[in-house]
Amino acid sequence: MGIAFEQPALGVIGPISRKVGSGTWLSENAAQFTERIDADIDINAPHTHSFIETIDVRLVLEPGVAALAARHVTEVHIKLLNQALDAILMPRSWIDFKSRIYQFSRAC
């Protein structure tokens, strides 16, 4: 596949727009599109629950998971988390920042 094929597809799903006589541009929702791709979200998946229901479940599950992780943390885990946090604080670019945030969440 070449760029000529990919441009119309990218225009349909969001990150670029074509303006006749002006060229191909990032669309206004390019950042949101990138966020969904970064987070590995299937934008075509059917949603049978609301955003509020998702938050409600997170509020029930995440404190217990965090408490369990804190009870079993080791010095190695703390070192890895600190290294990942330090990396977030010194990104070279926006993409580097986004990548480092995901690395932090997967550090242990």
Side-chain angles (χ1 to χ4, degrees):
M1 278 186 249
I3 291 175
F5 174 79
E6 293 165 359
Q7 282 180 347
L10 290 173
V12 169
I13 59 176
I16 66 168
S17 63
R18 301 207 58 197
K19 298 176 184 171
V20 176
S22 182
T24 302
W25 301 84
L26 285 176
S27 64
E28 290 181 14
N29 68 343
Q32 292 86 359
F33 176 81
T34 304
E35 290 284 334
R36 290 191 305 261
I37 297 299
D38 283 350
D40 196 25
I41 295 172
D42 181 359
I43 61 174
N44 297 314
H47 298 286
T48 58
H49 58 279
S50 71
F51 176 74
I52 298 298
E53 289 171 318
T54 300
I55 297 301
D56 285 344
V57 170
R58 290 183 65 180
L59 287 171
V60 170
L61 296 176
E62 288 180 5
V65 171
L68 182 63
R71 283 195 297 272
H72 296 282
V73 72
T74 67
E75 291 299 320
V76 172
H77 293 133
I78 292 170
K79 183 179 178 182
L80 290 170
L81 285 169
N82 282 328
Q83 289 172 343
L85 181 58
D86 288 344
I88 290 171
L89 300 175
M90 294 180 265
R92 294 180 304 264
S93 65
W94 180 80
I95 295 295
D96 191 39
F97 172 75
K98 296 297 294 176
S99 173
R100 290 176 182 198
I101 286 176
Y102 295 122
Q103 289 171 0
F104 176 79
S105 67
R106 297 179 179 123
C108 293

